[in-house]
Amino acid sequence: MAAGPVPLLERRLLFVTGKGGVGKTSVASAIGLLAAQRGLRTLVCEVDAKGNLADFFGVGPLRFQPTEVREHLFAMAMDTEESLKEYLRLQLKVPLLAKIGPLASTFDFVANAAPGVKEILTVGKLTYEVRERNYDLVVVDASASGHVVGQLASRVAIGEVVNAGLVGSQTDWMIELLTDPATTGVVVATAPEEMPVTETLELIGRLKDETEIDVAAVVVNRVLPELFGRDEEAIFGTLRADGAAALAGAVGPGATDVLDAADLAVGLRRSRAVHLARLREGLPVGLPVLYVPYLFTRSHGVRATSLIASSLGEELGF
Amino acid sequence: MARTGARAADLTLEQLCSAKEVLVSTGSGGVGKTTTAAAIGAVAAARLGAKVLVLTVDPARRLATALGLEEFGNVETRVPDEAFAHVEGGARGELWVAMLDTKQSWDDLVARHAPDDATRDAILANSIYKNLSGKFVQSHDYVAMERLYEIHTSGRYDLVVVDTPPTRNAIDFLEAPDRMADFFSSRLLRWLIAPYRSRVVSFASKPFYSVADRILGTQFLEDIAEFFMLFQTMYDGFVERARAVTTLLGGPQTSFVVVSTLEVAPSREAEFFLELLSDRGYHVGALVLNKVLPDLLLSTDGADTARVLSTDADAVAARLAPGLSTAAGPVDPAHLAHVLAEVGTNFANFAVVARREAEQRAELSRTPDLCLTVPWFDDDIHSVDGLLRLGEVLWR
Ligand SMILES: Nc1ncnc2c1ncn2[C@@H]1O[C@H](COP(=O)(O)OP(=O)(O)OP(=O)(O)O)[C@@H](O)[C@H]1O
Ligand SMILES: Nc1ncnc2c1ncn2[C@@H]1O[C@H](COP(=O)(O)OP(=O)(O)OP(=O)(O)O)[C@@H](O)[C@H]1O
Ligand SMILES: [Mg+2]
Ligand SMILES: [Mg+2]
């Protein structure tokens, strides 16, 4: 084992996952943007049916065919039916659509009945792009709580469903890429709150126990700034208790609102600190943890993406 | 409230809880669906003389513990009256809770619909079934709705508050019953089963087989065919149930509570969902805006003060410091200036977000008559007291 984990942007395929709403799409798009800014030809792919990745790049709806959203940066939306067609065309040399007509029309059905199929087509497409070196980095906005990862990283899960046929025989090279830490890593997005932290610890445990896929980093999103150090907190305490009237006298009637807002911030920060501590304690030693601040911005979308990209850049020492 | 048009003057959650038998809590991931469902259940049990069940999905661990769910899970369990010790005069009704265990519920469903024990056991042992019931995401939605139907028709409760799973797409669970019915009546099903029945593959399905065989392998196709053959024996029961569930969801006794935060992505999803629900004729009883920043952040006095503090903290600190002291002694003006500057910046920061939230709220066009706002509490909600505190905010 080499010393230390493989640096984030030196990998080729990153799955960004995490609990619903923590900021998976924000983080995935920011990693993509950061990589592109650093000159890597990057593809960001959304696997989720939600379809809001485009909002984070400020572009129109995404399709299976990648859209160039800026220099070096491409974005696409996974569509397993399209992926199947491409697969048949490229891998199996099955000549034409005509032959898969009935299959395509009932495709959803087969794919739903046998979960492995959809995932193989998804991961198949992603690993294919990596194998063919079409991009330096592929970032996946994966579904919540590691559903995709959990199923695909394990040999057993794949073998369980499809163990023969061409799809079966094609999974070997996919597994090889997926389980190589120099190639593939999972990025777990989380927030300093109870449920996201608990789920993150559980997910990382499961990835370790049940799969051979490497965890590349944990990104803690929405970290509130620390207003005061300990001494200053005491000063704030007296200001609050004994100085409110004097402050109002000095600066006007807004003093109460401003102090109340500081109270709110201190309270939120404090309750979150507990969860942060629990996270740090529970994570495996040596796993990189990157912090992204809570954004006090007006606009979201591409502006937020670029802010998150620069804080990730700072965290990575760029 | 930033809302125009007619509005039932004094519509309250109390009225909604009294008028409906089923409330479905829905929304984007992590917005507070589970917390809201549990809080509505708790306050309804406390305030109405009603027997209320909260059917939850995946509650936070400490909340599950507080409700006794860790121990009982899938089984309906009564929350002891002691949990309501802080309610004046005690709880008037009863609060019951159950957690949805997808796998267990599917197995129960199969047991109920299977024509005989042999079929039941064969289904439970089939590898495709195991996959379907355990991992297939949408099966969760279906089974949640199915369980709701079973509980509602049992007549055991006055009110059932249902939490929904964090679906990738909020409409998934609404469509789940229909999709499940389609699933069993699909043409593909007949194709898959045909060769194992008659060994005569129809002309139409031949290309399908040759391709499917090459891609997926024969074993897989056989497993799938076996699964569907077994399941076909339950077809009628399933389709009938799926219809009944759809009817219940659209019926007059059911109402939806859409939960959202005022963040951009969840709001968009809530808006989309509100529209979709009303377009399809579902009753939307309330919109709950959760984790909303307090109005004080919108104060212009506050903004003025914040500006002074950010730019002129030193002067203000020099005036105030002599009058203040901490346990450690007199307050150093330089320290105080830093504190004041931080306090000013903090207000300005949060004010930006609060203003955006207010705009976001004004933009929510098709809100239902009942639009409730819940503040961002500075800690998670993980006790019956916490739920009641939140419930009281909603109830008013
Ligand atoms: N650091 C941050 N500060 C403030 N707001 C944030 C931050 N990160 C994300 N958000 C906001 O939180 C919301 C959810 O973020 P995002 O869509 O990235 O989460 P997600 O995990 O992809 O959600 P889902 O599970 O619904 O796909 C968005 O409106 C986003 O703008
Ligand atoms: N108003 C609030 N103030 C502070 N914390 C809250 C508030 N509402 C909910 N929470 C906390 O936010 C977290 C998420 O809430 P909850 O589990 O209810 O969301 P959910 O929508 O059910 O999530 P999921 O989509 O994962 O099922 C919980 O830890 C809960 O305690
Ligand atoms: Mg997302
Ligand atoms: Mg929930």
Side-chain angles (χ1 to χ4, degrees), chain A residues 11-15 41-47 63-67 74-79 82-87 89-91 120-140 170 173-174 177-178 183-184:
Chain A
R11 305 201 192 216
R12 310 280 319 285
L13 177 59
L14 294 172
F15 288 91
R41 187 179 157 86
T42 307
L43 173 67
V44 183
C45 173
E46 83 179 320
V47 165
R63 278 180 296 262
F64 185 71
Q65 212 53 46
T67 310
F74 298 79
M76 66 171 280
M78 181 52 69
D79 175 335
E82 287 296 322
S83 171
L84 175 65
K85 286 182 192 156
E86 189 180 89
Y87 172 74
R89 199 159 36 80
L90 294 172
Q91 307 278 311
I120 281 172
L121 288 168
T122 298
V123 174
K125 164 71 179 171
L126 299 166
T127 44
Y128 175 77
E129 298 297 336
V130 171
R131 191 184 70 171
E132 297 301 304
R133 307 202 157 262
N134 290 337
Y135 299 92
D136 298 315
L137 174 65
V138 176
V139 184
V140 189
Q170 288 287 320
W173 64 267
M174 282 163 47
L177 285 178
L178 286 175
T183 305
T184 304

Side-chain angles (χ1 to χ4, degrees), chain B residues 119-311:
Chain B
T119 310
R120 182 198 62 205
D121 295 343
I123 290 176
L124 295 182
N126 181 282
S127 71
I128 302 285
Y129 169 76
K130 285 189 192 155
N131 243 311
L132 185 78
S133 58
K135 296 181 194 150
F136 178 22
V137 197
Q138 290 162 354
S139 76
H140 201 94
D141 304 332
Y142 176 71
V143 88
M145 293 302 116
E146 163 73 29
R147 181 96 192 271
L148 163 65
Y149 176 79
E150 190 265 314
I151 290 169
H152 178 257
T153 45
S154 77
R156 288 192 293 269
Y157 302 95
D158 297 298
L159 175 67
V160 184
V161 188
V162 200
D163 176 25
T164 55
T167 37
R168 282 181 301 175
N169 186 324
I171 55 172
D172 277 355
F173 74 87
L174 273 182
E175 293 177 342
D178 276 345
R179 219 176 13 237
M180 206 48 76
D182 287 351
F183 199 77
F184 289 105
S185 50
S186 140
R187 207 150 47 116
L188 181 73
L189 181 54
R190 292 200 296 277
W191 276 345
L192 283 171
I193 296 170
Y196 302 90
R197 275 215 187 120
S198 64
R199 295 273 144 215
V200 182
V201 180
S202 79
F203 177 72
S205 57
K206 216 168 208 152
F208 169 78
Y209 272 104
S210 62
V211 175
D213 222 50
R214 284 177 67 191
I215 301 169
L216 302 166
T218 315
Q219 179 60 47
F220 177 69
L221 284 178
E222 274 172 16
D223 281 353
I224 260 196
E226 186 209 47
F227 169 70
F228 283 119
M229 274 208 291
L230 291 167
F231 244 68
Q232 223 184 22
T233 60
M234 313 198 303
Y235 172 78
D236 290 337
F238 256 88
V239 172
E240 196 185 303
R241 280 297 276 257
R243 296 230 169 86
V245 175
T246 307
T247 309
L248 171 64
L249 289 178
Q253 63 282 73
T254 303
S255 185
F256 287 81
V257 175
V258 177
V259 185
S260 183
T261 62
L262 283 168
E263 279 166 327
V264 181
S267 298
R268 261 187 212 149
E269 225 181 311
E271 176 113 43
F272 169 74
F273 199 43
L274 286 169
E275 258 165 50
L276 186 118
L277 282 170
S278 54
D279 287 349
R280 296 197 183 178
Y282 292 99
H283 185 266
V284 182
L287 170 65
V288 173
L289 298 173
N290 193 19
K291 305 192 190 180
V292 175
L293 290 171
D295 283 344
L296 67 91
L297 292 167
L298 300 172
S299 122
T300 46
D301 286 344
D304 291 343
T305 298
R307 206 168 308 120
V308 174
L309 291 181
S310 309
T311 52

Side-chain angles (χ1 to χ4, degrees), chain A residues 7-73:
Chain A
L8 196 67
L9 296 190
E10 282 173 29
R11 305 201 192 216
R12 310 280 319 285
L13 177 59
L14 294 172
F15 288 91
V16 181
T17 184
K19 187 181 175 337
V22 293
K24 292 179 295 300
T25 310
S26 304
V27 169
S29 51
I31 292 176
L33 180 60
L34 179 66
Q37 283 167 345
R38 299 184 58 78
L40 299 176
R41 187 179 157 86
T42 307
L43 173 67
V44 183
C45 173
E46 83 179 320
V47 165
D48 207 289
K50 212 161 240 175
N52 65 349
L53 175 63
D55 295 346
F56 293 79
F57 289 130
V59 296
L62 298 170
R63 278 180 296 262
F64 185 71
Q65 212 53 46
T67 310
E68 184 164 11
V69 297
R70 53 174 290 156
E71 202 189 359
H72 303 314
L73 185 57

Side-chain angles (χ1 to χ4, degrees), chain A residues 1-6:
Chain A
M1 260 257 145
V6 182

Side-chain angles (χ1 to χ4, degrees), chain A:
Chain A
M1 260 257 145
V6 182
L8 196 67
L9 296 190
E10 282 173 29
R11 305 201 192 216
R12 310 280 319 285
L13 177 59
L14 294 172
F15 288 91
V16 181
T17 184
K19 187 181 175 337
V22 293
K24 292 179 295 300
T25 310
S26 304
V27 169
S29 51
I31 292 176
L33 180 60
L34 179 66
Q37 283 167 345
R38 299 184 58 78
L40 299 176
R41 187 179 157 86
T42 307
L43 173 67
V44 183
C45 173
E46 83 179 320
V47 165
D48 207 289
K50 212 161 240 175
N52 65 349
L53 175 63
D55 295 346
F56 293 79
F57 289 130
V59 296
L62 298 170
R63 278 180 296 262
F64 185 71
Q65 212 53 46
T67 310
E68 184 164 11
V69 297
R70 53 174 290 156
E71 202 189 359
H72 303 314
L73 185 57
F74 298 79
M76 66 171 280
M78 181 52 69
D79 175 335
T80 37
E81 204 168 320
E82 287 296 322
S83 171
L84 175 65
K85 286 182 192 156
E86 189 180 89
Y87 172 74
L88 291 175
R89 199 159 36 80
L90 294 172
Q91 307 278 311
L92 305 184
K93 313 271 186 265
V94 171
L96 264 176
L97 261 173
K99 285 208 171 164
I100 58 159
L103 179 60
S105 65
T106 42
F107 168 75
D108 234 27
F109 183 89
V110 177
N112 282 341
V117 175
K118 229 170 185 164
E119 274 76 1
I120 281 172
L121 288 168
T122 298
V123 174
K125 164 71 179 171
L126 299 166
T127 44
Y128 175 77
E129 298 297 336
V130 171
R131 191 184 70 171
E132 297 301 304
R133 307 202 157 262
N134 290 337
Y135 299 92
D136 298 315
L137 174 65
V138 176
V139 184
V140 189
D141 178 11
S143 18
S145 61
H147 186 76
V148 172
V149 179
Q151 257 185 343
L152 273 138
S154 96
R155 249 164 234 278
V156 195
I158 296 177
E160 213 176 83
V161 184
V162 186
N163 49 15
L166 275 161
V167 169
S169 70
Q170 288 287 320
T171 54
D172 281 355
W173 64 267
M174 282 163 47
I175 290 176
E176 210 162 286
L177 285 178
L178 286 175
T179 55
D180 172 20
T183 305
T184 304
V186 175
V187 174
V188 186
T190 189
E193 290 163 34
E194 180 183 5
M195 303 258 290
V197 165
T198 305
E199 231 172 76
T200 299
L201 296 175
E202 273 169 11
L203 175 64
I204 288 174
R206 274 190 43 211
L207 286 170
K208 273 212 142 51
D209 295 346
E210 298 168 29
T211 78
E212 294 167 62
I213 200 162
D214 193 45
V215 181
V218 170
V219 176
V220 187
N221 190 23
R222 300 178 204 230
V223 178
L224 289 167
E226 180 156 34
L227 288 190
F228 316 121
R230 190 161 301 147
D231 294 350
E232 291 169 341
E233 207 154 306
I235 295 176
F236 176 69
T238 41
L239 182 65
R240 189 100 188 85
D242 311 322
L247 184 64
V251 296
T256 329
D257 290 336
V258 170
L259 289 175
D260 283 351
D263 257 351
L264 174 78
V266 169
L268 286 172
R269 161 94 195 175
R270 191 173 297 144
S271 65
R272 273 150 189 74
V274 178
H275 301 304
L276 262 183
R278 190 162 55 93
L279 178 69
R280 277 199 211 98
E281 241 160 63
L283 288 178
V285 182
L287 178 64
V289 181
L290 312 173
Y291 298 91
V292 172
Y294 184 92
L295 297 177
F296 295 103
T297 50
R298 243 203 59 74
S299 55
H300 273 252
V302 69
R303 172 76 184 135
T305 307
S306 110
L307 288 171
I308 296 177
S310 50
S311 24
L312 285 175
E314 266 169 44
E315 289 284 286
L316 291 169
F318 298 150

